[in-house]
Amino acid sequence: MPREITILAPRPVTDRELVESAYGVDPELGLRRLNPGASIQFLRDDKDVVLTLQQPMNLRAPDEIDRILPGADVSPAVREAARRAAADPATAQPVWIEALAPWGEHGETGAQICRALAEVVGGTCVVQDGR
């Protein structure tokens, strides 16, 4: 079973932010899109997957945060964006992204990418294995 990772972001993540976060961790990674963009994978040596990111989902209300990540320490920016989205979806577009990383060294690289991405966007990253 892979390591499950959840990223909450106060706004949609750009491709540039994603790629820069990944290459900031390991500039030698490759990238591929699966199922016409439904998933993105980062690979080492064009064969070893370090991270698979699913397509972002809209976060429409503050109570969804506690459903997705009960008890997590979520950034104030994400909570505020979810509050604004519940009141008026045109004013905010917070998202959550599910990601999977393998166990071991490759998976730690994947977790580092997710943490870096969350930091760039002012979001929250929770690696479900408790690390």
Side-chain angles (χ1 to χ4, degrees):
M1 175 175 243
R3 297 170 79 179
E4 295 179 3
I5 304 167
T6 303
I7 301 168
L8 300 181
R11 60 174 174 75
V13 173
T14 67
D15 286 346
R16 181 181 184 135
E17 290 166 333
L18 177 58
V19 169
E20 287 178 355
S21 294
Y23 294 159
V25 172
D26 184 345
E28 300 298 316
L29 292 174
L31 176 136
R32 70 178 170 200
R33 293 187 184 270
L34 303 175
N35 302 325
S39 298
I40 297 172
Q41 287 187 324
F42 287 95
L43 302 97
R44 185 171 285 146
D45 301 324
D46 290 327
K47 65 182 185 328
D48 296 317
V49 175
V50 300
L51 181 65
T52 301
L53 293 141
Q54 304 299 322
Q55 199 166 42
M57 306 282 287
N58 291 327
L59 186 60
R60 298 276 186 206
D63 60 347
E64 284 187 311
I65 294 170
D66 295 323
R67 181 184 60 79
I68 296 165
L69 293 174
D73 184 22
V74 176
S75 82
V78 170
R79 289 204 183 272
E80 174 60 20
R83 188 191 63 69
R84 285 194 337 257
D88 181 4
T91 63
Q93 295 180 330
V95 297
W96 61 287
I97 303 167
E98 291 184 2
L100 300 171
W103 290 98
E105 177 188 344
H106 295 316
E108 187 51 39
T109 298
Q112 288 175 3
I113 292 167
C114 291
R115 289 181 190 111
L117 179 61
E119 185 175 327
V120 164
V121 300
T124 297
C125 174
V126 174
V127 180
Q128 299 293 335
D129 61 12
R131 295 182 193 174

